[in-house]
Amino acid sequence: MGTILEMRNITKVFPGVKALDNVNFKVEAGEIHALVGENGAGKSTLMNVLSGIYPHGTYSGEIIFEGKVCAFRDIKDSERMGIAIIHQELALEPYLSIGENLFLGNERHKRGFIDWNRTHMEARELLKRVKLNESSHTLIKDIGVGKQQLVEIAKALAKKVKLLILDEPTAALNEEDSNNLLELILQLKSDGITCILISHKLNEVMRVADSITILRDGATIETLKVGTDVIDEDRIIKGMVGRTMVNRFPKREPKVGEVAFEVRNWTVYHPVIPDRKVIKDVSIKVRKGEIVGISGLMGAGRTEFAMSVFGKAYGSRISGQIIKDGKPVELNSVRQAIEHGIAYLTEDRKNAGLILIDDIRHNITLPSLKKISRRMFIDENKEIMVAEEYRSKLAIKSSSILQKTGNLSGGNQQKVVLSKWIFARPDVLILDEPTRGIDVGAKYEIYTIINQLADEGKSIIFISSELPEILGMCDRIYVMNEGRIVGELSREEASSESIMKCIMQSNREVV
């Protein structure tokens, strides 16, 4: 069908960092073209250039779309040409209806007034096209993330999209929602819509992509064509990280000591619906130097359990007992949890884990200001030394410790979150989806840091939706389903099958 998009010699420089270095990128009409690379490789920057988020004049090089040289001043310019981008952080208004969101900024109107009949009639057609069985009057806040992704795609279709850019569309989705979304992308391809897919999930890339372009350090490494080139995950990973990765998980010899942290008969009710029990009589133990996994399907209650343990940051009517180093402790606030040597790395680093408008230095030291203070005043020299130490120790890629965390790649943001909790020197570290939205190279670095913390005798609770990660990292695994612990497996007993067996058996017992 010919070339729909060509980006020639695109170079984009931020203060102190060359994000894109002479990148060339070509997309054929009607294909699904995957764009892969490590965090910080330049994928999102390249798509922001294409969509006009970084306007013409802020970069060098040419964009040629449907044979025409384009100079997009903003995102509206690119949308008028038929280019739409869906970011990993969805841009929907939670308190507006699906129908209102679909045409926000693109309203259906008559004589200066919104035509609500036409709005909801066209919305129903769009929802049918993306196979979303919801009323167009439903509020966005009342549907899950998977359905919100479908609304975003329907919103793009309302703008007569020709080229759809999807940035990590399945990062926050469970397996079922991910499969549904991938099937929809294949359907859009059969409808003649060209897609650019950014993803760290290489199994998904291999499943749907016709072409795969690999970026590394802001430069194009190669483009692989399905059916022409020999393609496997090892080749893609080698292109992304610049080396062959024999093992996805670093080797470790566990040095497990006595029980250091215990939660007994923990029960938590919903913070808004007082009669709904979210966590039901959960008991776990973690030893010194041990990495204990909590596995389960989306909605099993893993995050709610972790947050409620961390100073009752979630829930109401919480009962049960927390025992640390053999003694009961009261953790009625986040401050008390931190003072007792417990840290919680949230799954939502952008909204709850970092202050994105502040720099690396302040983000690292914020939970532990006493450690860098003298007589109630912060010792700025000490703060700088600490931030520089962790920037070096965790290999945070940045221009300096004064760079805003919002300008870092996802992997480097996660390293900043880890740095702040390592500097707090906790005895117990709860990691909630610590590698979500992070590429294989950065994942390996974070796994190595986690192993080092375990080797130092820290007790680690590791929550993840990725079964290979749970199986590759954990010494022991608790299986959680519908707010209850439904199985406990040693490393030797654990497998994808045994974990799913625990979940399925518990479902039958409930029935």
Side-chain angles (χ1 to χ4, degrees):
M1 293 176 69
T3 301
I4 189 172
L5 169 72
E6 188 171 359
M7 302 180 77
R8 295 178 183 165
N9 305 317
I10 303 294
T11 298
K12 172 69 178 170
V13 178
F14 295 106
V17 179
K18 185 180 276 189
L20 298 173
D21 187 4
N22 255 8
V23 171
N24 291 288
F25 181 59
K26 187 185 285 188
V27 179
E28 301 301 315
E31 75 169 345
I32 299 172
H33 196 121
L35 189 59
V36 301
E38 291 188 277
N39 289 98
K43 308 180 298 294
S44 295
T45 303
L46 185 66
M47 293 301 98
N48 287 340
V49 166
L50 171 59
S51 59
I53 293 170
Y54 298 140
H56 184 258
T58 64
Y59 61 89
S60 62
E62 279 188 326
I63 298 173
I64 300 162
F65 185 71
E66 293 187 318
K68 298 174 187 173
V69 177
C70 300
F72 300 134
R73 293 165 299 177
D74 54 31
I75 197 166
K76 288 285 185 186
D77 271 1
S78 66
E79 286 179 347
R80 278 190 282 270
M81 291 289 289
I83 300 171
I85 183 167
I86 299 174
H87 295 281
Q88 187 175 346
E89 287 81 31
L90 303 179
L92 298 171
E93 293 294 334
Y95 290 95
L96 293 182
S97 69
I98 292 173
E100 289 168 317
N101 270 277
L102 288 179
F103 299 106
L104 196 61
N106 184 30
E107 286 81 5
R108 301 307 190 239
H109 57 84
K110 183 167 60 178
R111 299 192 190 104
F113 294 93
I114 292 176
D115 186 338
W116 290 112
N117 288 333
R118 184 184 167 198
T119 294
H120 287 287
M121 183 181 70
E122 291 189 23
R124 283 193 293 272
E125 292 302 313
L126 288 165
L127 295 179
K128 194 182 299 180
R129 192 171 172 189
V130 298
K131 297 181 174 61
L132 179 53
N133 186 25
E134 288 285 346
S135 166
S136 60
H137 295 276
T138 302
L139 299 184
I140 290 294
K141 73 177 183 66
D142 294 330
I143 61 175
V145 177
K147 290 182 177 181
Q148 289 180 23
Q149 280 282 13
L150 298 180
V151 172
E152 280 278 24
I153 293 173
K155 188 175 179 179
L157 296 178
K159 297 170 183 172
K160 310 297 182 190
V161 65
K162 299 173 186 175
L163 175 64
L164 180 62
I165 305 162
L166 299 131
D167 191 351
E168 297 288 352
T170 64
L173 303 187
N174 60 31
E175 192 171 346
E176 183 182 353
D177 285 340
S178 295
N179 287 331
N180 291 339
L181 187 60
L182 294 173
E183 288 300 322
L184 176 59
I185 293 170
L186 290 169
Q187 180 60 50
L188 294 176
K189 173 190 167 183
S190 67
D191 293 341
I193 294 173
T194 306
C195 293
I196 297 173
L197 173 66
I198 299 175
S199 180
H200 289 127
K201 297 182 179 180
L202 298 186
N203 60 323
E204 295 180 355
V205 167
M206 303 274 287
R207 177 176 159 187
V208 301
D210 301 298
S211 304
I212 303 167
T213 293
I214 302 169
L215 294 185
R216 185 171 76 236
D217 296 330
T220 314
I221 301 302
E222 63 176 340
T223 294
L224 306 171
K225 297 283 185 184
V226 173
T228 303
D229 297 302
V230 177
I231 304 174
D232 57 34
E233 287 194 19
D234 289 337
R235 178 173 179 176
I236 296 171
I237 291 167
K238 186 176 180 181
M240 287 168 60
V241 303
R243 63 189 187 278
T244 301
M245 291 188 68
V246 179
N247 297 308
R248 298 285 181 90
F249 302 97
K251 290 181 179 176
R252 168 174 158 265
E253 291 294 329
K255 304 183 187 77
V256 177
E258 69 275 11
V259 173
F261 186 71
E262 189 175 352
V263 181
R264 291 181 186 169
N265 309 119
W266 199 251
T267 296
V268 180
Y269 285 82
H270 195 280
V272 178
I273 308 168
D275 294 331
R276 182 180 160 198
K277 197 182 287 186
V278 180
I279 305 301
K280 305 162 187 174
D281 201 34
V282 166
S283 297
I284 68 167
K285 293 179 181 179
V286 191
R287 293 171 172 81
K288 286 185 178 180
E290 187 179 34
I291 302 176
V292 171
I294 301 182
S295 183
L297 303 175
M298 292 284 279
R302 297 165 302 171
T303 294
E304 290 82 357
F305 170 67
M307 289 181 67
S308 65
V309 167
F310 184 59
K312 299 182 179 175
Y314 171 89
S316 64
R317 295 167 59 194
I318 297 172
S319 61
Q321 195 175 33
I322 294 175
I323 296 167
K324 184 171 178 288
D325 299 324
K327 297 176 183 176
V329 291
E330 287 291 330
L331 306 178
N332 293 316
S333 68
V334 169
R335 173 179 283 186
Q336 283 185 338
I338 294 170
E339 287 172 350
H340 279 88
I342 298 163
Y344 170 65
L345 187 147
T346 173
E347 64 175 340
D348 186 359
R349 61 176 172 265
K350 288 186 182 291
N351 291 317
L354 295 167
I355 302 173
L356 295 177
I357 60 172
D358 209 344
D359 58 37
I360 294 169
R361 171 191 53 175
H362 290 150
N363 271 280
I364 289 175
T365 58
L366 190 59
S368 310
L369 292 178
K370 285 183 180 177
K371 289 186 169 71
I372 56 163
S373 299
R374 187 185 302 164
R375 295 176 187 163
M376 303 293 290
F377 292 95
I378 291 172
D379 184 335
E380 291 189 6
N381 289 331
K382 192 169 184 181
E383 184 179 40
I384 289 167
M385 286 172 60
V386 166
E388 289 286 8
E389 177 190 346
Y390 282 94
R391 178 178 174 239
S392 171
K393 190 185 290 185
L394 274 74
I396 299 168
K397 292 179 184 175
S398 63
S399 54
S400 76
I401 58 168
L402 301 180
Q403 185 172 344
K404 285 185 170 58
T405 53
N407 295 332
L408 298 174
S409 67
N412 287 300
Q413 287 179 351
Q414 197 72 336
K415 288 179 183 179
V416 174
V417 181
L418 267 172
S419 295
K420 79 174 184 179
W421 289 125
I422 296 170
F423 176 54
R425 295 185 180 87
D427 304 312
V428 180
L429 187 54
I430 305 169
L431 305 173
D432 193 352
E433 303 285 1
T435 66
R436 172 171 285 171
I438 292 175
D439 62 81
V440 286
K443 279 185 177 183
Y444 191 90
E445 291 176 355
I446 287 172
Y447 295 150
T448 301
I449 293 163
I450 293 168
N451 283 351
Q452 287 170 354
L453 292 169
D455 289 342
E456 291 169 12
K458 309 294 185 189
S459 303
I460 295 172
I461 299 172
F462 191 104
I463 300 169
S464 177
S465 300
E466 297 184 29
L467 278 179
E469 189 170 70
I470 285 281
L471 296 171
M473 286 295 295
C474 299
D475 305 314
R476 192 162 49 86
I477 299 165
Y478 288 104
V479 183
M480 201 165 182
N481 188 43
E482 296 185 350
R484 297 179 296 123
I485 297 294
V486 296
E488 181 182 348
L489 304 167
S490 66
R491 180 189 280 269
E492 293 72 30
E493 295 170 322
S495 66
S496 299
E497 293 77 15
S498 60
I499 289 172
M500 286 308 299
K501 188 177 178 182
C502 290
I503 294 170
M504 298 311 292
Q505 283 179 341
S506 75
N507 286 337
R508 285 197 291 271
E509 288 167 10
V510 169
V511 172

